[in-house]
Amino acid sequence: MITMTKYDLEPIVKTFYDALEEGTVLGRKCTRCGHVEFPPYLCCNACGNLDTEWVDLTNVRGVVKQALPTRGAFGDPDFRNAHGDYFAVEVALPDSDPVGTSLLHVDYDKYAEFDKLVSQTEVKVKPLIIQDEDTKVVVWELEEDSEFKKIPEIKAVSKASEEKKAAAPAAKTETAAAPASADISAAAEELDEAAKTVIACAADAYGVDESEITLATDIRETLSNESMKMIVMISSIEDETNVTIEIQEANNLFTIADFVNVVRERMQGA
């Protein structure tokens, strides 16, 4: 084993990802207390010891502590399209702190039953190395076959389909912008205020300048797919306007104009 000290710090991240390319999952084990850091870290977070060594976790088994659904306003649609349905889970590994990760190869329609099972018994999972965009990453899958395990058939997308998909957002943006502009012209003063508020909330939530956002901006495609940023934006809109937008409702709103129209309608009805 290679030991790491404060005088000899290894390139932890590079070693970890190089190992994934070879099909090996690595963690760092403290030589003093035995605590395992996964993902690997520079030192032991349990006792602060700097002397740690690589440990092979390829065949380790973890236990699911909680599971969350990943559809609607949550989750990553691009990840789902590439790898199939998944749950967001917290997995506890032996001698290690629980880690937030993804559980693949699941039957999403049985989430309620799976969540109940997790609360009643130990559900064991094993590491799974997958190719995600330009790098390999570690996710998890159920250790044994069961009614909850379902491996999807992911069909390769043809180049022509990808080009067609890439062209689609522009067309959708232009189409969505037209009715929004008409609506805003119908009640200029109030809608201007609603638009300014939504744009300001979006800029703050997504960390961009207000000048980069227009009514035609498609939030998920232009700004970010991260669900927490969407939640922050919705919360800010509610604080500024006293207008409530439910998370599930937001799943069907795509552009800034869509949100502006909802805010305007509810402000008028208040």
Side-chain angles (χ1 to χ4, degrees), residues 15-237:
T15 301
F16 176 71
Y17 282 102
D18 284 349
L20 290 183
E21 292 294 330
E22 300 297 325
T24 302
V25 180
L26 294 177
R28 297 289 298 194
K29 184 175 182 179
C30 178
T31 58
R32 177 190 295 167
C33 71
H35 186 78
V36 175
E37 293 295 334
F38 180 81
Y41 193 64
L42 289 173
C43 64
C44 177
N45 280 314
C47 70
N49 183 30
L50 287 172
D51 292 326
T52 62
E53 59 188 11
W54 288 110
V55 59
D56 190 338
L57 302 177
T58 308
N59 296 313
V60 75
R61 295 296 180 264
V63 175
V64 178
K65 292 300 181 182
Q66 65 173 333
L68 298 173
T70 54
R71 285 185 182 172
F74 300 96
D76 185 338
D78 292 335
F79 184 85
R80 180 180 298 108
N81 289 336
H83 304 290
D85 277 326
Y86 68 102
F87 297 145
V89 295
E90 184 179 66
V91 173
L93 307 179
D95 303 314
S96 181
D97 295 327
V99 59
T101 181
S102 299
L103 181 66
L104 269 64
H105 300 167
V106 293
D107 187 340
Y108 198 92
D109 293 334
K110 295 184 178 179
Y111 166 74
E113 296 95 324
F114 182 78
D115 185 47
K116 183 178 180 181
L117 180 68
V118 167
S119 67
Q120 295 176 339
T121 186
E122 286 192 349
V123 177
K124 293 186 177 181
V125 293
K126 59 185 179 180
L128 175 68
I129 301 174
I130 63 171
Q131 184 73 36
D132 187 37
E133 297 182 348
D134 60 350
T135 189
K136 283 185 168 59
V137 297
V138 180
V139 292
W140 299 78
E141 67 173 347
L142 294 170
E143 179 184 30
E144 300 178 349
D145 291 338
S146 71
E147 62 178 305
F148 302 107
K149 192 168 185 177
K150 181 180 180 181
I151 300 179
E153 293 183 9
I154 306 296
K155 297 181 179 180
V157 180
S158 67
K159 184 175 181 181
S161 297
E162 289 180 341
E163 292 175 350
K164 182 178 180 181
K165 180 179 178 181
K172 186 176 77 171
T173 298
E174 293 172 2
T175 301
S181 299
D183 288 342
I184 289 175
S185 298
E189 182 175 352
E190 184 175 355
L191 285 175
D192 282 347
E193 185 63 30
K196 289 178 181 178
T197 299
V198 171
I199 288 174
C201 291
D204 184 62
Y206 288 91
V208 300
D209 191 270
E210 291 184 26
S211 62
E212 298 178 29
I213 301 176
T214 68
L215 291 171
T217 297
D218 188 301
I219 296 172
R220 296 168 183 80
E221 294 177 353
T222 305
L223 299 180
S224 173
N225 250 331
E226 294 182 44
S227 58
M228 285 308 300
K229 291 183 178 181
M230 174 71 75
I231 292 172
V232 170
M233 185 185 85
I234 294 171
S235 178
S236 297
I237 291 174

